Amino acid sequence: MPFSLSHSSFSNSSNATFNDTMNLTIDAVFGPPALGSPYINDAQYAVLGVILGMTIEISFTGLITTLCRALQGSVTQGEEFFVIGIIMTIFNFVCIAYQSLAAWVFFLGEEQCGYGSLVGNVFLHIFNLGFDIFMLYKTYCVAAHDLRVQYTAMAIIVHRFGWAIVDIMASKGVWNPDLQYCAYAQDMITFKGYASSDMISHIFACILSLVFGCLNFEGDLAGVGKSLVEGNILRSVVTVAICAYSTATGLEFNSGSYSAAVAMLVQAYVLSRCVNAELFYSVGRVSYAKPGGGGTRSIISSQGYTNSAVRSDRMEDA
């Protein structure tokens, strides 16, 4: 979403003045930064490091849990969960690399400034594209594999990929010899472009989850259907909110500031949490998939998504 790993050269004068005043006050207590941006002190870098660590921990846990689920035969019976498992695994690997690079990019030296900023920006876009693919595939499943949803989702992904390519070409790291740190020259047009594309993806997923939830369950959100629909809707709402917050922060503050860095890392934390929440919902679906006592048929015949769950549930009622 809306923010590069490293520091940007764009800002408005009022925000720059406010940030400088705040940092002078904080530096009087904690001391100036030893390395990295002059707009962020050592104590603030420590906070950023904690957020980075929590995000990496989530992804490591997600990888291990996904592997454990894969070793349980019943969890991988459904094609949809198999695809979701692959997407989640790739996303978690990318997230670990992305956050590890963030720790490095914050402290780039003169020699590493150019290519380090480029690598960080590339992983930023891969991370965000991975999350968009995850949410759009989940929406496609909730929409009962509707072809119109599939084509729209593919168009959104291509649109986001296009903005990623343009931003990688237009934005770059520039060494500031006076302040001795790597400033990131973010192109504002591409920033607004890929941030808007991310927002379109999240709003699309949110609206489709609501619409198909109402159509499929007709107000009866019970059992596995409740877990599926509410889970996807909740994630969609959360991602819309965090994307809006991060975009607003990117437009308002100099990206070398502490506020912008926090927004970037909190966004990564929330998105990683949202993806790995699928493992929580899958536990509920597996328990529903187990055969009931007395010969009662299972609610889901495969690793249930909305359409299969609704069909089998209605067959039982008939």
Side-chain angles (χ1 to χ4, degrees), residues 173-195:
V174 179
W175 180 253
N176 186 320
D178 296 327
L179 297 177
Q180 291 294 299
Y181 87 108
C182 183
Y184 191 76
Q186 172 66 60
D187 186 277
M188 287 304 296
I189 295 177
T190 59
F191 169 75
K192 294 175 182 177
Y194 73 73

Side-chain angles (χ1 to χ4, degrees), residues 1-4 10 121 124-125 128-129 131-132 156 159-167 186-204 239-251 267 271:
M1 319 281 184
F3 235 51
S4 180
F10 69 83
N121 198 21
L124 165 77
H125 289 295
N128 291 329
L129 270 167
F131 182 81
D132 289 343
I156 292 174
H159 180 255
R160 179 62 179 83
F161 180 78
W163 277 114
I165 296 298
V166 175
D167 182 66
Q186 172 66 60
D187 186 277
M188 287 304 296
I189 295 177
T190 59
F191 169 75
K192 294 175 182 177
Y194 73 73
S196 300
S197 183
D198 284 327
M199 185 64 77
I200 290 171
S201 173
H202 303 329
I203 293 175
F204 176 77
T239 53
V240 168
I242 193 64
C243 183
Y245 159 69
S246 189
T247 301
T249 304
L251 293 173
Q267 182 188 36
L271 297 189

Side-chain angles (χ1 to χ4, degrees), residues 4 6 36 39 47 61 74 86 91 101-102 111 118 121 137 192 194 210 250 262 277 284 288-289 302:
S4 180
S6 45
Y39 299 104
V47 175
T61 303
S74 61
I86 293 177
F91 175 87
L101 282 168
E111 294 182 357
L118 174 64
N121 198 21
Y137 183 77
K192 294 175 182 177
Y194 73 73
L210 286 167
V262 168
Y288 279 110
S302 64

Side-chain angles (χ1 to χ4, degrees), residues 4-7 35-37 40 45 48-49 52 101-108 181-182 255 257 261-262 264-265:
S4 180
L5 286 169
S6 45
H7 314 300
L35 294 170
S37 171
I40 305 177
Y45 271 125
L48 298 179
L52 274 166
L101 282 168
W104 173 57
V105 172
F106 278 134
F107 305 103
L108 289 175
Y181 87 108
C182 183
S255 71
S257 72
V262 168
M264 177 192 71
L265 297 182

Side-chain angles (χ1 to χ4, degrees), residues 25-39:
T25 303
I26 295 174
D27 287 346
V29 179
F30 296 104
L35 294 170
S37 171
Y39 299 104

Side-chain angles (χ1 to χ4, degrees), residues 37-242:
S37 171
Y39 299 104
I40 305 177
N41 61 58
D42 289 342
Q44 291 171 331
Y45 271 125
V47 175
L48 298 179
V50 171
I51 302 174
L52 274 166
M54 291 192 300
T55 305
I56 292 174
E57 186 274 334
I58 292 171
S59 292
F60 265 121
T61 303
L63 286 172
I64 295 172
T65 308
T66 302
L67 176 62
C68 293
R69 296 279 188 270
L71 295 177
Q72 300 173 6
S74 61
V75 180
T76 57
Q77 289 176 0
E79 178 183 353
E80 290 92 345
F81 187 83
F82 177 76
V83 176
I84 285 290
I86 293 177
I87 295 174
M88 290 176 60
T89 300
I90 295 174
F91 175 87
N92 282 322
F93 273 118
V94 170
C95 181
I96 292 170
Y98 168 57
Q99 295 296 280
S100 300
L101 282 168
W104 173 57
V105 172
F106 278 134
F107 305 103
L108 289 175
E110 184 176 2
E111 294 182 357
Q112 302 87 23
C113 182
Y115 72 83
S117 298
L118 174 64
V119 172
N121 198 21
V122 168
F123 271 86
L124 165 77
H125 289 295
I126 294 175
F127 173 82
N128 291 329
L129 270 167
F131 182 81
D132 289 343
I133 291 171
F134 170 83
M135 287 301 298
L136 291 172
Y137 183 77
K138 283 286 297 178
T139 303
Y140 170 63
C141 293
V142 170
H145 300 170
D146 189 293
L147 286 178
R148 293 167 297 180
V149 175
Q150 177 185 346
Y151 295 144
T152 305
M154 291 172 63
I156 292 174
I157 292 171
V158 171
H159 180 255
R160 179 62 179 83
F161 180 78
W163 277 114
I165 296 298
V166 175
D167 182 66
I168 290 170
M169 296 173 61
S171 303
K172 60 183 179 180
V174 179
W175 180 253
N176 186 320
D178 296 327
L179 297 177
Q180 291 294 299
Y181 87 108
C182 183
Y184 191 76
Q186 172 66 60
D187 186 277
M188 287 304 296
I189 295 177
T190 59
F191 169 75
K192 294 175 182 177
Y194 73 73
S196 300
S197 183
D198 284 327
M199 185 64 77
I200 290 171
S201 173
H202 303 329
I203 293 175
F204 176 77
C206 186
I207 292 175
L208 265 290
S209 297
L210 286 167
V211 169
F212 280 91
C214 294
L215 289 177
N216 287 341
F217 291 96
E218 300 174 354
D220 183 19
L221 296 175
V224 68
K226 184 174 182 179
S227 174
L228 288 166
V229 178
E230 287 187 352
N232 213 48
I233 291 173
L234 177 61
R235 275 184 293 207
S236 298
V237 171
V238 169
T239 53
V240 168
I242 193 64

